[in-house]
Coordinates of all heavy atoms in Angstrom, one line a residue:
M470 N -3.4 -64.4 -23.2 CA -2.3 -65.2 -23.5 C -1.8 -64.9 -24.9 O -2.5 -64.2 -25.6 CB -2.7 -66.7 -23.4 CG -3.3 -67.2 -22.1 SD -3.9 -68.9 -22.2 CE -2.4 -69.8 -22.1
A472 N -0.1 -66.4 -28.5 CA 0.1 -67.6 -29.3 C 0.5 -67.2 -30.7 O -0.3 -66.4 -31.3 CB -1.1 -68.5 -29.3
K475 N 0.4 -63.5 -31.5 CA -0.9 -62.7 -31.3 C -1.5 -63.0 -29.9 O -1.1 -64.0 -29.2 CB -1.9 -63.2 -32.4 CG -1.5 -62.9 -33.8 CD -2.6 -63.1 -34.8 CE -3.1 -64.6 -34.8 NZ -4.2 -64.7 -35.8
V476 N -2.3 -62.1 -29.5 CA -2.9 -62.2 -28.1 C -4.3 -62.8 -28.2 O -5.1 -62.4 -29.1 CB -3.0 -60.8 -27.5 CG1 -3.7 -60.9 -26.1 CG2 -1.7 -60.1 -27.4
L477 N -4.6 -63.7 -27.3 CA -6.0 -64.3 -27.3 C -6.6 -64.2 -25.9 O -5.8 -64.1 -24.9 CB -5.9 -65.8 -27.8 CG -5.3 -66.9 -26.9 CD1 -5.8 -68.2 -27.3 CD2 -3.8 -66.8 -26.9
P478 N -7.9 -64.1 -25.8 CA -8.5 -64.0 -24.5 C -8.3 -65.3 -23.7 O -8.3 -66.4 -24.2 CB -10.0 -63.8 -24.8 CG -10.2 -64.4 -26.2 CD -8.9 -64.2 -26.9
A479 N -8.1 -65.1 -22.4 CA -7.8 -66.2 -21.5 C -8.6 -66.1 -20.2 O -9.2 -65.1 -19.9 CB -6.3 -66.3 -21.2
V503 N -6.1 -70.8 -19.1 CA -6.4 -71.5 -20.3 C -7.0 -70.4 -21.3 O -7.6 -69.4 -20.8 CB -7.4 -72.6 -20.1 CG1 -6.9 -73.6 -19.1 CG2 -8.8 -72.1 -19.6
P504 N -7.0 -70.7 -22.6 CA -7.7 -69.8 -23.5 C -9.2 -69.8 -23.1 O -9.8 -70.8 -22.8 CB -7.5 -70.5 -24.9 CG -6.2 -71.3 -24.7 CD -6.2 -71.7 -23.3
S505 N -9.8 -68.6 -23.3 CA -11.2 -68.4 -22.9 C -12.2 -69.4 -23.5 O -13.1 -69.9 -22.9 CB -11.7 -67.0 -23.2 OG -11.1 -66.1 -22.3
R506 N -11.9 -69.7 -24.8 CA -12.8 -70.6 -25.6 C -12.8 -72.0 -25.0 O -13.7 -72.8 -25.3 CB -12.4 -70.6 -27.0 CG -12.8 -69.3 -27.8 CD -14.3 -69.3 -28.0 NE -14.7 -68.1 -28.6 CZ -16.0 -67.8 -29.0 NH1 -16.9 -68.7 -28.8 NH2 -16.3 -66.7 -29.5
R507 N -11.8 -72.3 -24.2 CA -11.8 -73.7 -23.6 C -12.4 -73.7 -22.2 O -12.3 -74.7 -21.5 CB -10.3 -74.2 -23.6 CG -9.8 -74.3 -25.0 CD -8.3 -74.7 -25.0 NE -7.8 -74.6 -26.4 CZ -6.5 -74.8 -26.7 NH1 -5.6 -75.1 -25.7 NH2 -6.1 -74.7 -27.9
G508 N -13.0 -72.6 -21.7 CA -13.6 -72.6 -20.4 C -14.6 -73.7 -20.2 O -14.6 -74.4 -19.2
D510 N -14.6 -76.6 -21.6 CA -13.9 -77.9 -21.4 C -13.3 -78.0 -20.0 O -13.2 -79.1 -19.4 CB -12.8 -78.0 -22.5 CG -13.4 -78.2 -23.8 OD1 -14.5 -78.9 -23.9 OD2 -12.8 -77.8 -24.8
L548 N -5.4 -78.5 -21.7 CA -6.2 -77.5 -22.3 C -5.4 -76.2 -22.5 O -5.9 -75.2 -23.1 CB -7.4 -77.2 -21.4 CG -8.4 -78.3 -21.2 CD1 -9.5 -78.0 -20.2 CD2 -9.0 -78.7 -22.5
D550 N -2.5 -76.2 -24.2 CA -1.7 -76.4 -25.4 C -2.1 -75.4 -26.5 O -3.2 -75.4 -26.9 CB -1.9 -77.8 -25.9 CG -1.1 -78.1 -27.1 OD1 -0.2 -77.3 -27.5 OD2 -1.3 -79.2 -27.8
L551 N -1.2 -74.5 -26.8 CA -1.5 -73.5 -27.8 C -1.0 -73.8 -29.2 O -1.1 -73.0 -30.1 CB -0.8 -72.2 -27.4 CG -1.2 -71.6 -26.0 CD1 -0.5 -70.3 -25.7 CD2 -2.7 -71.4 -26.0
T552 N -0.5 -75.1 -29.4 CA -0.1 -75.5 -30.8 C -1.3 -75.7 -31.7 O -1.1 -75.8 -32.9 CB 0.8 -76.7 -30.7 OG1 0.0 -77.8 -30.1 CG2 2.0 -76.5 -29.9
S553 N -2.5 -75.9 -31.1 CA -3.6 -76.2 -31.9 C -4.7 -75.2 -31.9 O -5.9 -75.4 -32.1 CB -4.2 -77.6 -31.4 OG -4.6 -77.5 -30.0
V554 N -4.3 -73.9 -31.6 CA -5.3 -72.8 -31.5 C -5.9 -72.6 -32.9 O -5.3 -72.8 -33.9 CB -4.7 -71.5 -31.0 CG1 -4.3 -71.7 -29.5 CG2 -3.5 -71.1 -31.8
K555 N -7.2 -72.2 -32.9 CA -8.0 -72.0 -34.1 C -8.3 -70.5 -34.1 O -8.1 -69.7 -33.2 CB -9.2 -72.8 -34.1 CG -9.0 -74.3 -34.0 CD -10.3 -75.0 -33.8 CE -10.1 -76.5 -33.6 NZ -11.4 -77.3 -33.4
D556 N -8.8 -70.0 -35.3 CA -9.2 -68.6 -35.4 C -10.2 -68.2 -34.3 O -10.1 -67.1 -33.8 CB -9.7 -68.4 -36.8 CG -8.7 -68.5 -37.9 OD1 -7.5 -68.4 -37.5 OD2 -9.0 -68.6 -39.1
D557 N -11.1 -69.1 -34.0 CA -12.1 -68.8 -33.0 C -11.5 -68.5 -31.7 O -12.1 -67.7 -30.9 CB -13.1 -69.9 -32.9 CG -14.1 -70.0 -34.1 OD1 -14.1 -69.0 -34.9 OD2 -14.9 -71.0 -34.2
D558 N -10.4 -69.0 -31.4 CA -9.7 -68.8 -30.1 C -9.3 -67.4 -29.9 O -9.1 -66.9 -28.7 CB -8.5 -69.7 -29.9 CG -8.9 -71.2 -29.7 OD1 -9.9 -71.5 -29.0 OD2 -8.3 -72.1 -30.4
F559 N -9.2 -66.6 -31.0 CA -8.8 -65.2 -30.9 C -10.0 -64.3 -30.8 O -9.8 -63.1 -30.8 CB -7.9 -64.9 -32.1 CG -6.6 -65.6 -32.0 CD1 -6.4 -66.8 -32.7 CD2 -5.5 -65.1 -31.3 CE1 -5.2 -67.5 -32.7 CE2 -4.3 -65.7 -31.3 CZ -4.1 -67.0 -32.0
V560 N -11.2 -64.8 -30.7 CA -12.4 -64.0 -30.6 C -13.0 -64.4 -29.3 O -13.3 -65.5 -29.0 CB -13.4 -64.3 -31.8 CG1 -14.6 -63.5 -31.6 CG2 -12.7 -64.0 -33.1
D561 N -13.3 -63.4 -28.5 CA -13.8 -63.6 -27.1 C -15.3 -64.0 -27.2 O -16.0 -63.7 -28.2 CB -13.6 -62.4 -26.3 CG -13.5 -62.7 -24.8 OD1 -13.7 -63.9 -24.4 OD2 -13.3 -61.8 -24.0
W562 N -15.8 -64.6 -26.1 CA -17.2 -64.9 -26.0 C -18.1 -63.7 -26.2 O -17.9 -62.7 -25.7 CB -17.5 -65.6 -24.7 CG -16.9 -66.9 -24.5 CD1 -15.7 -67.2 -23.8 CD2 -17.3 -68.2 -25.0 NE1 -15.4 -68.5 -23.9 CE2 -16.4 -69.1 -24.6 CE3 -18.4 -68.5 -25.7 CZ2 -16.5 -70.5 -24.9 CZ3 -18.6 -69.9 -26.0 CH2 -17.7 -70.8 -25.6
Q566 N -15.3 -59.4 -33.2 CA -14.0 -58.9 -33.6 C -12.8 -59.7 -32.9 O -13.0 -60.3 -31.8 CB -13.8 -57.4 -33.3 CG -14.9 -56.6 -33.9 CD -14.9 -56.6 -35.4 OE1 -13.8 -56.6 -36.0 NE2 -16.1 -56.6 -36.0
T567 N -11.7 -59.8 -33.5 CA -10.5 -60.4 -32.9 C -10.2 -59.7 -31.6 O -10.2 -58.5 -31.5 CB -9.3 -60.3 -33.9 OG1 -9.6 -61.0 -35.1 CG2 -8.1 -61.0 -33.3
F568 N -9.8 -60.5 -30.6 CA -9.5 -60.0 -29.3 C -8.3 -59.0 -29.3 O -7.3 -59.3 -29.9 CB -9.3 -61.1 -28.4 CG -8.9 -60.8 -27.0 CD1 -9.9 -60.3 -26.1 CD2 -7.6 -60.8 -26.5 CE1 -9.5 -60.0 -24.8 CE2 -7.2 -60.5 -25.3 CZ -8.2 -60.1 -24.4

Side-chain angles (χ1 to χ4, degrees):
M470 303 174 77
K475 296 193 297 182
V476 180
L477 71 162
V503 302
S505 290
R506 286 288 176 176
R507 298 176 188 176
D510 289 329
L548 297 175
D550 181 11
L551 300 181
T552 60
S553 60
V554 292
K555 303 173 184 177
D556 289 345
D557 285 351
D558 290 317
F559 293 94
V560 179
D561 207 355
W562 293 99
Q566 304 297 320
T567 300
F568 175 78

